[in-house]
Amino acid sequence: MINTIIFDFGDIFVNLEKETSIVEFKKLGLDGPNEELLTMNDLFERGKITELQFIESFKKYIPEADILDIRKAWNSVIGEFPLYRLEFLQMLSHKYRLFLLTNTDAIHISRFEHMAGISFFSDFYQCFEKVYYSFEMGMRKPDPEIFNYILKKHDLSPKRTLFVDDKKENTDAAAALGIQVWNLNVGQEDVVDLFEKKILE
């Protein structure tokens, strides 16, 4: 019987506008991500480099772009957070131990909080026993240690814990540790379909 749920954030609760971000960067002259920028993103999500170091890594490829414009393009990926998902989460919080575990960075979290407003994001955070950001933890999914840390820290039983994420590499890593998983198919499934998946029975 599941008694704990660990949720991802992006495309689980807040919609990610990935195509919008690509378009915005193209306007600045960047034709999609490359290996160096992906590496810098990984470091930024682990909290290993500063916000300025991350933003300036783009300047190598789009030297004419203003730092504020780069930041705006980076944040354009953060989309809507539908109220019905918050209401669903609030209902769950009365029945299960809930945790948030997300690969993210300080820029995106700041943007989300600004867009959502203090009342909304406070209600959201209050649903969780603990919120875990990769950039604060110094590690990110699908590293096994990030899951093991939470299991040990909160004395969780893997077989009684459900992990919900839209990336298969993340749910595969959790499943390898004995955690129950739901690899949510974005666009075809919604987190509020949880009970329809029969996972919690």
Side-chain angles (χ1 to χ4, degrees):
M1 179 74 94
I2 299 294
N3 62 9
T4 303
I5 310 173
I6 303 172
F7 287 104
D8 179 30
F9 184 36
D11 271 340
I12 301 298
F13 293 112
V14 67
N15 294 329
L16 297 184
E17 307 293 344
K18 296 169 187 174
E19 289 302 318
T20 300
S21 183
I22 290 171
V23 169
E24 290 302 312
F25 272 114
K26 279 186 176 177
K27 290 178 184 176
L28 298 179
L30 182 68
D31 192 21
N34 57 50
E35 283 303 314
E36 182 176 353
L37 291 175
L38 290 172
T39 298
M40 295 299 282
N41 179 44
D42 184 278
L43 291 171
F44 192 36
E45 287 190 344
R46 293 176 189 272
K48 305 299 185 187
I49 59 173
T50 66
E51 179 178 325
L52 186 59
Q53 285 174 311
F54 176 67
I55 293 295
E56 287 191 334
S57 67
F58 287 90
K59 298 280 281 183
K60 177 178 178 180
Y61 302 98
I62 40 176
E64 303 302 314
D66 180 83
I67 283 178
L68 289 177
D69 289 333
I70 295 172
R71 197 175 195 276
K72 184 178 179 182
W74 181 246
N75 271 333
S76 65
V77 74
I78 305 297
E80 179 192 12
F81 187 142
L83 178 61
Y84 71 86
R85 290 183 186 152
L86 174 60
E87 292 170 342
F88 176 73
L89 189 66
Q90 288 172 323
M91 179 272 292
L92 281 181
S93 70
H94 298 297
K95 302 177 181 180
Y96 300 92
R97 296 178 69 184
L98 302 182
F99 297 88
L100 190 72
L101 175 61
T102 176
N103 288 349
T104 192
D105 59 70
I107 299 177
H108 280 162
I109 290 303
S110 177
R111 175 60 177 164
F112 158 66
E113 291 180 353
H114 178 76
M115 286 178 67
I118 188 167
S119 177
F120 189 97
F121 77 69
S122 295
D123 286 348
F124 174 59
Y125 292 150
Q126 284 171 10
C127 292
F128 301 101
E129 196 170 315
K130 178 74 176 173
V131 171
Y132 285 106
Y133 297 137
S134 61
F135 73 92
E136 292 179 339
M137 299 178 76
M139 47 186 160
R140 69 195 292 276
K141 300 172 294 186
D143 301 343
E145 57 261 36
I146 202 167
F147 299 106
N148 282 324
Y149 176 85
I150 295 174
L151 291 174
K152 185 176 180 182
K153 175 83 173 175
H154 300 281
D155 194 25
L156 305 179
S157 164
K159 67 181 179 182
R160 300 189 69 187
T161 300
L162 174 67
F163 173 57
V164 180
D165 197 293
D166 63 302
K167 291 187 172 60
K168 192 170 187 302
E169 62 265 30
N170 295 339
T171 52
D172 283 352
L177 299 173
I179 299 170
Q180 309 302 305
V181 299
W182 176 21
N183 178 213
L184 187 148
N185 191 337
V186 179
Q188 297 183 32
E189 299 174 315
D190 194 294
V191 70
V192 299
D193 301 333
L194 186 57
F195 290 101
E196 293 175 26
K197 302 299 290 184
K198 313 286 186 192
I199 303 170
L200 297 179
E201 291 186 351

